[in-house]
Each structure stands twice: as structure tokens, then as C-alpha cells.
Amino acid sequence: MIKKIIIALIITLVISCKKTSTNDKIVELEKVIKKEKIRSSTKERQNERLNNTIAGLRDEIAKNKETEESKNSIIAESIDILTDKKQMIQHLFDSFDLDNSDARRGIAVSYFFYSYNGFSDFETKSEYYSYIVSKIDRSPESLKKIFTPQVKDNIYKLFENNKIYKNSGAEAMLKSSLLIHDDIGENEYILKEIYSMAKEGNNIEIDDFISKTVDDSILKELKTILKYENYSTYKKETYLTTDLKTEDRLTYLYTFWARRHHEGNADYVYELLKEFHINVTTEQLEPEELDVDELNAESLEY
């Protein structure tokens, strides 16, 4: 009997050991499974990030390719700027938005005068034209080649059958500009001083210098022309009608001629603007102002 009991105990003990061993294995397996799930989840997230990165790179490649194709198309379509430049002139004119902006503001906000550091910086046809403008050689010889009779005629036509030249204040600005050149066009000292101050952005100093240097009668005439009520027929905005804004327009025109003098093209630009004014002005000019013989001779020269 005792033997049977001992055998039964041995059997029970063996079975118990097997169960413990099995449980331990199950626990170990569960740990392994848990680790694998975590590892699998991590890999899934890594794969997802990798796929997103690959998709982003593909989009970037496609975008770059599209941009290059667009640039090639832009360049191919705009070759005419090397001939009559009509399309480029229209873009420049549109950028001023003279139907809604007065001339001074139109010049200030025009994208045509943005600076582009490299050929790859532009993405649209308008930006391409701006890039070309930024690279123009501004010597008188170069400008004469650009402003051919055909180009001038294309510019004049933009002001036909409309009142934009008068209404936007462009006429007042150009009249004032010609008057300033007539007054100080040969004065090296004034032009160099203004240019030096303009480089530093010292507009207040320029204003003081002009008031102390330029004849009072000239300044009075200029301020009358550039006063907003006489300058533009557009809706009067309070912040545009102040004396400060008149001074701003005046300072801009003096610095304009200082920059032209520095570039060495002031005399040619003066003749160009004078001819432009004669061709598009809404005013009745006196016979001596027309200077037709000089204009005809100049056109033949080009």
C-alpha cells in the first residue's frame, strides 16, 4: 500500500513539474510575442515615415521638373522681348496698376523692380521679366539700343484713348521731374550730396538739404504740381493728401535724378522722358515746347 502511495506521489510530482515548466514556457512565449508586437509596431511606424519621405521626395522631384519645364516654356515664349519687347512693356505697365493706384504708389509696389540674385530665383513669366530688368546695362549706349522707335511707339500706345497719364499723377510727376532736371541737371555738388544721403536712406536729411539748396520759387512750383489735389484725380485718401506725402514725392524725384547722374545716363533719360511727355501729355503744349525738329532728328539717329 505504501508503495502505491509513493508511486502516486512521484507521478503527481512529475506532472506538477511538467505543468510548472509549461507555464514558464508560456510566460516566456508571451513575453517574446509582446516584444515582437512592439517591434512590429515600431517597424510599421518607421515604414510609414519612410513611405511619406519617399512620397515627399517624389513630389519635390516632380515639382522641380515642372518648374524647370515652366521656366523653359517661359523663356521660349518670351523671346520677343529681344525684338519689339511689346509683351514685356505690357507686363510692366500692368504691374503699376494705374487704374487703381497713383503713379508714385504704382512704382513703389511694382514687382518689376524686385531684386533677383540668381537666374533660378524666378518662377513665373512676370518674375522672369523682372529678372531681365534687374540685369539691364543702364549706360546711355545700352538704353538707346533698348528704346528703339518701335519700343517707344508701343509705350505711347498704352496711354492712347485713356486718361491714365493725367489721372494717376504720372503727368504731374514727369512734369516735376523735367523741371528738377532743368534746374539742377548740371550741378555735380547737389546731385552727389543727394545720392550720398539716399544711399544711407536719410530722407529727412535730403529734405533739409533740398530746402536749403534749391531756389524757393522752384520748390513752390514743384509742391504745387505734386500737391495731391493737383497731382491726381483719383479718390482722395487722407494719408495721401498731407504735406508729408508731397515732400515724399518731391524727395523721390530728386533722388531719381541723383541715381541717374550716378549711373551716367541722366541726360539721355531726360531726353527720353521729355519725348515721352510730349507724345502722351493731355496738356496743350506751346510750340516751343514741342521741339519737333530735335525729336525727328533723334528718331532718325536710332
Side-chain angles (χ1 to χ4, degrees), residues 79-172:
I79 289 299
D80 67 309
I81 69 169
L82 302 177
T83 54
D84 69 357
K85 306 175 186 68
K86 187 174 183 180
Q87 191 179 38
M88 185 175 181
I89 291 167
Q90 186 66 56
H91 271 270
L92 175 60
F93 182 77
D94 292 342
S95 77
F96 294 145
D97 191 23
L98 293 183
D99 285 319
N100 302 298
S101 298
D102 63 59
R104 176 68 184 94
R105 195 190 319 174
I107 293 171
V109 302
S110 171
Y111 55 76
F112 250 79
F113 302 110
Y114 290 171
S115 178
Y116 290 91
N117 296 321
F119 186 71
S120 61
D121 291 345
F122 69 86
E123 294 183 358
T124 67
K125 186 176 293 185
S126 297
E127 290 176 352
Y128 171 63
Y129 287 145
S130 300
Y131 174 82
I132 295 298
V133 168
S134 72
K135 300 302 178 184
I136 286 176
D137 173 7
R138 299 187 183 185
S139 66
E141 296 75 20
S142 174
L143 293 177
K144 286 179 182 180
K145 292 177 182 178
I146 293 171
F147 289 99
T148 63
Q150 184 182 12
V151 167
K152 292 178 185 178
D153 188 55
N154 287 335
I155 294 173
Y156 302 153
K157 285 179 179 178
L158 296 172
F159 295 88
E160 288 181 355
N161 305 318
N162 60 54
K163 298 180 180 180
I164 288 178
Y165 186 53
K166 171 72 174 177
N167 294 349
S168 68
E171 185 172 55

Side-chain angles (χ1 to χ4, degrees), residues 183-198 205-206 208-210 212-214 254 257-258 261-262:
D183 182 47
I184 66 165
E186 303 298 326
N187 194 312
E188 291 272 337
Y189 166 71
I190 292 178
L191 291 166
K192 285 184 177 180
E193 285 295 307
I194 292 176
Y195 182 79
S196 178
M197 288 181 278
E205 290 185 23
I206 295 174
D208 291 340
F209 179 78
I210 290 171
K212 294 175 182 177
T213 309
V214 180
Y254 273 96
W257 285 117
H261 175 267
H262 179 75

Side-chain angles (χ1 to χ4, degrees), residues 16-65:
S16 176
C17 288
K18 285 186 177 181
K19 284 185 178 179
T20 301
S21 177
T22 301
N23 288 336
D24 290 342
K25 287 183 179 180
I26 290 172
V27 170
E28 287 299 320
L29 287 173
E30 287 177 343
K31 287 181 181 180
V32 171
I33 291 171
K34 186 176 181 181
K35 286 181 181 180
E36 287 301 321
K37 284 183 177 179
I38 293 172
R39 196 174 298 171
S40 176
S41 178
T42 302
K43 286 183 177 180
E44 285 179 2
R45 289 196 297 272
Q46 289 175 340
N47 286 337
E48 185 177 357
R49 286 196 294 268
L50 183 59
N51 288 333
N52 289 337
T53 301
I54 292 171
L57 289 172
R58 284 174 177 166
D59 289 342
E60 193 65 29
I61 291 170
K63 183 180 178 182
N64 290 338
K65 184 178 180 181

Side-chain angles (χ1 to χ4, degrees), residues 198-223:
K199 278 180 64 178
E200 302 298 324
N202 297 326
N203 283 357
I204 294 177
E205 290 185 23
I206 295 174
D207 293 343
D208 291 340
F209 179 78
I210 290 171
S211 65
K212 294 175 182 177
T213 309
V214 180
D215 187 87
D216 288 341
S217 62
I218 298 292
L219 289 179
K220 183 178 180 181
E221 184 177 357
L222 289 169
K223 288 179 180 179

